[in-house]
Amino acid sequence: MAAIRGLVLAGALIALSTAPSSYGAPTLLPLSSARSMLLARVLKWVLAGCLVLEINSLLNAWAENRWMLTNDKSSWQWDKEFAVVTGGSHGIGAAVVNQLTSHGVKVAVLDIQPLSEAVQNDGSLVSFYQCDLTSRDAVHEAAAALRSDHGSPSILINNAGIGNSSCILDLSPKLLQTLIGLNLVSHWYTVQEFLPDMIAKKKGHVMATSSMAGFVGLAGGGDYAATKAGLIAFHESLTQELKHRYKCPQIKTSIVYPYWTRTRLNATIQKRLGGMLKEPEDIAKIMVDHIIAAKSGQLVLGPKLAPLLRGTPIWLQELVRDSQAHIVTGDATSAVLKSS
């Protein structure tokens, strides 16, 4: 559809540019010759701008498809696919599990906490494996168990995450290590477990849940923001290695940047977030629709200009951060125990 729009715009622009000046604008409008010519020039620039946007969209889609011209969806049969979702017992993770099973996908949840009532589990499509994702040995044991029960997964959604609402000087080493272990290092453990089989089959999808905090570090959330920014580098490196080291551009990689979402992770500050809060079900639907579309890419689910913030003048960056400095406050010792 984007290509068709681009061709139509290009044709209109060429026609307008090569038409005689007397036909440069609609003759039915009650405009003088000078104003008609001005309108024609404005239309040219508008059409040119639209064409640039369409070309940019096409290039983005091509890049996200690993520079391949085709995207074969026929290899995905959703009632025969198997997904692993970390942190799938509550919040966004639970909503993702429900969305996947609605398409017939079998799901294994890896979480340290039992499945909550939010997970719609009739026992046929959802299985649970209690796992401390900060432990390499625990991840390996859980992976071996679920492979024995169901085979190797074709979809890995690294969603598990925790947060501290604490200033840098107040955060204990134990809490810091736990957060970094779960929010960032666990991605290495799960990918090391499940990616080799995807590479062997030249089919798979690895999705990571980052955060808008990966673009903006806030007072009281430095540890959380640092891990979410780290996931950006992890995602980019994984994508590059799949293309250039393992020669598997067919394997999809996606990274998701949710905005403030109504989960237990931010329960202590939800009142001051007000209308900014998104529902887990809405975030999960976008994530799973992306998987069902068999696409790679980045899903920015907040202000679309946020990824560009680092390229703006320093004074503007600081004003944005200053405006958000009051949001992240709370009890770090309780918040860290709550997975997203």
Side-chain angles (χ1 to χ4, degrees):
M1 184 61 69
I4 294 174
R5 290 197 304 266
L7 289 173
V8 170
L9 287 169
L13 181 59
I14 293 172
L16 188 58
S17 299
T18 57
S21 59
S22 60
Y23 299 101
T27 57
L28 295 178
L29 293 177
L31 298 175
S32 65
S33 176
R35 290 186 177 181
S36 294
M37 293 179 65
L38 175 61
L39 177 58
R41 286 197 294 269
V42 170
L43 286 175
K44 286 181 183 180
W45 284 108
V46 170
L47 289 171
C50 291
L51 182 59
V52 169
L53 291 176
E54 290 294 343
I55 292 173
N56 180 67
S57 178
L58 288 171
L59 289 174
N60 283 339
W62 191 20
E64 289 178 344
N65 199 41
R66 310 294 184 257
W67 307 117
M68 296 187 296
L69 296 176
T70 60
N71 183 17
D72 187 7
K73 299 180 184 179
S74 63
S75 63
W76 294 92
Q77 300 179 42
W78 302 113
D79 59 345
K80 297 179 181 177
E81 304 299 338
F82 176 38
V84 169
V85 179
T86 69
S89 292
H90 300 84
I92 294 175
V96 166
V97 172
N98 294 337
Q99 287 289 329
L100 285 170
T101 56
S102 72
H103 291 278
V105 179
K106 186 185 300 181
V107 182
V109 173
L110 297 187
D111 203 319
I112 199 168
Q113 299 180 4
L115 293 178
S116 70
E117 294 181 356
V119 179
Q120 299 168 8
N121 180 22
D122 63 1
S124 62
L125 290 178
V126 181
S127 54
F128 173 74
Y129 298 83
Q130 190 168 36
C131 178
D132 177 3
L133 290 158
T134 66
S135 166
R136 182 67 181 88
D137 290 340
V139 172
H140 179 69
E141 291 175 7
L146 68 86
R147 277 193 294 259
S148 176
D149 294 339
H150 306 290
S152 296
S154 53
I155 302 166
L156 170 62
I157 302 178
N158 278 317
N159 167 79
I162 53 177
N164 297 312
S165 299
S166 182
C167 293
I168 292 170
L169 295 182
D170 299 330
L171 190 60
S172 72
K174 181 179 180 180
L175 292 179
L176 178 62
Q177 290 172 2
T178 300
L179 181 138
I180 293 175
L182 182 60
N183 289 14
L184 184 59
V185 179
S186 69
H187 290 245
W188 266 265
Y189 298 160
T190 56
V191 167
Q192 287 170 351
E193 280 292 340
F194 300 119
L195 186 62
D197 189 72
M198 296 181 189
I199 292 174
K201 296 177 180 177
K202 292 187 180 296
K203 173 188 172 183
H205 197 142
V206 179
M207 176 178 279
T209 303
S210 182
S211 168
M212 298 299 289
F215 304 127
V216 184
L218 300 180
D223 50 350
Y224 182 81
T227 58
K228 296 306 183 179
L231 285 182
I232 299 175
F234 177 88
H235 167 80
E236 291 173 349
S237 298
L238 176 63
T239 299
Q240 287 292 301
E241 289 179 7
L242 284 170
K243 286 197 296 184
H244 301 294
R245 296 293 187 270
Y246 302 110
K247 311 301 181 185
C248 279
Q250 303 92 338
I251 296 177
K252 313 299 180 184
T253 57
S254 302
I255 185 166
V256 186
Y257 303 97
Y259 200 41
W260 294 108
T261 308
R262 195 184 305 278
T263 68
R264 299 184 307 161
L265 187 64
N266 52 45
T268 61
I269 62 174
Q270 286 182 9
K271 288 185 178 180
R272 69 178 67 106
L273 292 173
M276 292 190 292
L277 277 173
K278 308 294 183 182
E279 297 300 327
E281 293 76 15
D282 296 332
I283 302 298
K285 186 177 188 312
I286 295 172
M287 293 169 64
V288 174
D289 283 351
H290 188 74
I291 290 173
I292 297 301
K295 291 182 178 180
S296 294
Q298 304 185 49
L299 299 176
V300 179
L301 307 184
K304 299 303 181 184
L305 295 180
L308 304 178
L309 182 64
R310 297 289 181 187
T312 63
I314 294 176
W315 63 266
L316 181 57
Q317 296 183 39
E318 200 64 8
L319 283 176
V320 172
R321 287 188 284 266
D322 288 344
S323 70
Q324 306 294 307
H326 66 287
I327 292 180
V328 183
T329 59
D331 180 2
T333 58
S334 62
V336 76
L337 299 176
K338 299 175 181 178
S339 67
S340 63

